[in-house]
Amino acid sequence: DGKSLLMREGQLVTARFMGSNKVYAFSSYVSAVILRPFPYIHIDYPTRTESAYVRQSERVGTDIEAVVILGEPGAERSIHTQMVDLSATGALIRSGESLGQVGDEIKVSMGVEYMDNIKRVSFPAIIRNVVDDSPETSETSTENSPEQDENDDDASLIPTVTLYGVEFKIGGFKDHLMV
């Protein structure tokens, strides 16, 4: 119908959209503005797109000491970890030791203060993602420092830290964690 668009050729535009449980975004340039038979635009193919998962529940930043229990009853092993964030359905856990691989089942245990008492609560969980969070070697490392022993292995001085995204295995509505 010949109506105008508030865009012009060469203009930078940003598109954002949702698909399934992800949001997507990209920026591109308008390559053509068409007014007939109806108004629409052509854009250049984007050089890069971004995506992020949409969470079902809000995460809250925390600094809670937690214990992850691995293995079968009778052969269990406890690993002390740090809970970096927490939601009603899962948590992000930082550990200096391996907790397993994506899909592995673990048990997360933490102390919760209730009426001047600390109660231990445990959640069965499934590892959903694993991300290396080790600090990178900085340019100001002691690599060529005279104080450094010649036999030291630089890689062994950098602690290995991994972030584990876990989903709590919640049985029913009454089992939801209230954050």
Side-chain angles (χ1 to χ4, degrees):
D1 62 6
K3 292 184 180 176
S4 65
L5 291 174
L6 298 175
M7 293 180 211
R8 63 186 183 291
E9 290 182 16
Q11 180 179 351
L12 180 65
V13 293
T14 300
R16 294 180 183 94
F17 56 97
M18 227 174 142
S20 184
N21 62 343
K22 279 185 148 184
V23 291
Y24 301 89
F26 65 86
S27 292
S28 185
Y29 291 94
V30 175
S31 58
V33 177
I34 312 297
L35 300 175
R36 287 200 162 75
F38 52 86
Y40 66 97
I41 61 170
H42 288 243
I43 59 172
D44 295 338
Y45 194 83
T47 56
R48 186 176 131 228
T49 61
E50 296 178 26
S51 66
Y53 285 99
V54 177
R55 300 211 169 270
Q56 294 176 356
S57 57
E58 185 176 347
R59 289 205 176 228
V60 177
T62 64
D63 188 19
I64 299 172
E65 291 181 19
V67 174
V68 171
I69 302 162
L70 303 175
E72 300 298 320
E76 294 174 333
R77 183 168 71 102
S78 298
I79 298 174
H80 291 271
T81 64
Q82 205 68 24
M83 195 173 293
V84 178
D85 69 30
L86 180 65
S87 76
T89 58
L92 186 63
I93 298 171
R94 179 178 288 128
S95 176
E97 296 182 53
S98 174
L99 302 181
Q101 302 298 317
V102 172
D104 288 354
E105 294 188 14
I106 62 174
K107 188 192 280 185
V108 179
S109 178
M110 64 183 183
V112 176
E113 188 174 340
Y114 177 71
M115 297 180 71
D116 297 328
N117 293 311
I118 301 214
K119 300 287 184 186
R120 207 92 200 134
V121 293
S122 297
F123 303 96
I126 300 171
I127 297 174
R128 293 297 182 200
N129 65 39
V130 178
V131 177
D132 182 11
D133 193 40
S134 300
E136 296 184 54
T137 309
S138 69
E139 292 180 9
T140 59
S141 71
T142 58
E143 188 172 25
N144 296 320
S145 169
E147 296 88 31
Q148 185 177 358
D149 186 319
E150 290 180 51
N151 297 324
D152 280 353
D153 180 11
D154 289 342
S156 69
L157 299 176
I158 301 170
T160 301
V161 179
T162 307
L163 291 174
Y164 294 86
V166 300
E167 176 185 359
F168 298 137
K169 290 175 62 176
I170 299 171
F173 180 75
K174 64 181 180 152
D175 296 333
H176 277 69
L177 178 65
M178 300 305 280
V179 179

